[in-house]
């Protein structure tokens, strides 16, 4: 059976640990895996703006011995000029892995159904699982462990990062707190799924409106842009709604001593996060950005060579 990585809970807790350990190994020894030597081709499709995703996949695929084949989603006309299923069948005959950064999770799932090769979610409107692998690796590097730590996600909880934090965080045994205004909190289906996972890992999932309560004693503080791609027409209303959720030095002071700060970038300074926090000693965002390459190499290797 072909395994895919479409959402955070596609990996069991033990599989997540395997992938993170492999990523740590590949960070220390970048050429330990040459699973794409030949070179084999990885199709990378981008329907949304990208910097870290494109750069980290291109560099990582090259380090694995492979060839990144960039596909412009707008030129391909996926789902318009050609059906998703037909594009999947075509690319599956040309590439060993398909990476897709797109809008609808349902389209990604349709791609996986017909591709015949592993498909990796490089971001959809619902989930951002590669980013969460990078976040978890970064936390483990700086805290030495994951299980039992408390993470506070502050800002727009009804976005792909909020959903992914709920699923990946609880899979890793973390206590995940989401602080967001009413109307911008995660859908109940993701909260329920996170609590189901947490029942087996010892983690927990809470949703609240008070950012101070969420950050209180937290080991990790996370935020993301308040205006996700595709929601630009809501920018004014969102900036007004989220004004109290900026990660400032004053808010961060409520966290545990030695707490670290994550942001998946791009960051809008003075909105979801202040510059003195983003550039401050508790920020680990540049490690986080680098770790995209290491975890994506690990998930490609795991899907091709390890996955049951």
């Amino acid at each position: 059976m072909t395994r895919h990585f479409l959402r955070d809970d596609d990996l069991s807790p033990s599989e997540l640990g395997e992938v993170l350990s492999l990523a740590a190994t590949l960070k220390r020894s970048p050429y330990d895996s040459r699973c794409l030597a030949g070179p084999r081709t990885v199709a990378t499709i981008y329907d949304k703006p990208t910097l870290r995703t494109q750069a980290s996949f291109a560099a990582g695929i090259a380090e694995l011995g492979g060839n990144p084949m960039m596909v412009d989603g707008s030129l391909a006309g996926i789902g318009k000029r050609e059906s998703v299923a037909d594009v999947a069948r075509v690319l599956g005959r040309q590439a060993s892995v398909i990476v897709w950064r797109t809008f609808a999770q349902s389209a990604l799932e349709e791609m996986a159904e017909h591709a015949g090769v592993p498909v990796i979610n490089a971001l959809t409107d619902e989930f951002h699982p590669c980013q969460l692998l990078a976040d978890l690796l970064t936390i483990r590097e700086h805290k030495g462990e994951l299980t039992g730590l408390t993470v506070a996600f502050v800002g727009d909880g009804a976005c792909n990062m909020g959903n992914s934090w709920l699923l990946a965080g609880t899979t890793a045994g973390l206590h995940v707190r989401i602080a967001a205004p009413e109307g911008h909190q995660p859908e109940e289906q993701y909260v329920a799924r996170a609590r189901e996972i947490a029942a087996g890992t010892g983690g927990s999932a809470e949703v609240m409106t008070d950012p101070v309560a969420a950050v209180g004693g937290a080991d990790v503080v996370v935020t993301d842009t308040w205006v996700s791609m595709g929601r630009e027409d809501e920018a004014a209303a969102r900036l007004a709604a989220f004004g109290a959720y900026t990660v400032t030095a004053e808010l961060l002071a409520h966290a545990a001593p030695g707490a670290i700060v994550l942001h998946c970038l791009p960051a809008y300074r003075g909105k979801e996060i202040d510059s003195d926090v983003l550039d401050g000693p508790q920020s680990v965002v540049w490690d986080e950005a680098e770790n995209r390459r290491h975890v994506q190499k690990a998930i490609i290797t795991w899907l091709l060579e390890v996955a049951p």
Side-chain angles (χ1 to χ4, degrees), residues 43-211:
T44 57
I45 314 167
Y46 300 112
D47 291 334
K48 290 188 173 186
T50 173
L51 171 63
R52 278 151 297 281
T53 299
Q54 179 182 338
S56 58
F57 267 110
I61 291 164
E63 289 185 359
L64 292 173
N67 171 53
M69 176 177 67
M70 185 170 169
V71 178
D72 184 321
S74 61
L75 288 177
I78 302 172
K80 298 175 183 173
R81 196 171 67 91
E82 290 193 69
S83 71
V84 172
D86 286 355
V87 171
R89 294 183 183 105
V90 170
L91 292 180
R93 299 292 184 97
Q94 304 292 344
S96 299
V97 178
I98 297 172
V99 173
W100 195 9
R101 179 179 173 94
T102 189
F103 297 89
Q105 182 74 15
S106 59
L108 185 81
E109 292 170 356
E110 186 177 0
M111 180 78 78
E113 182 181 349
H114 298 281
V117 298
V119 174
I120 295 175
N121 181 350
L123 180 143
T124 63
D125 290 343
E126 291 183 57
F127 302 107
H128 200 354
C130 288
Q131 182 63 55
L132 262 291
L133 290 178
D135 291 2
L136 294 174
L137 179 63
T138 306
I139 295 170
R140 203 172 74 167
E141 287 175 340
H142 286 270
K143 293 294 182 184
E145 60 182 348
L146 292 173
T147 303
L149 294 178
T150 296
V151 174
F153 180 95
V154 180
D156 182 9
C159 71
N160 48 18
M161 283 298 292
N163 297 337
S164 279
W165 263 110
L166 284 169
L167 301 191
T170 52
T171 299
L174 294 164
H175 301 291
V176 180
R177 300 173 184 163
I178 305 284
E182 295 287 355
H184 298 281
Q185 297 184 334
E187 291 181 29
E188 181 53 36
Q189 62 171 315
Y190 303 125
V191 179
R193 175 61 181 142
R195 288 174 176 161
E196 180 184 31
I197 296 169
T201 63
S204 63
E206 293 182 84
V207 178
M208 57 192 74
T209 57
D210 185 351

Side-chain angles (χ1 to χ4, degrees), residues 209-225:
T209 57
D210 185 351
V212 174
V215 170
D219 303 288
V220 183
V221 178
V222 188
T223 190
D224 186 18
T225 179

Side-chain angles (χ1 to χ4, degrees), residues 233-247:
D233 59 334
E234 303 173 10
R238 284 176 165 267
L239 294 180
F242 289 105
Y245 292 82
T246 303
V247 177

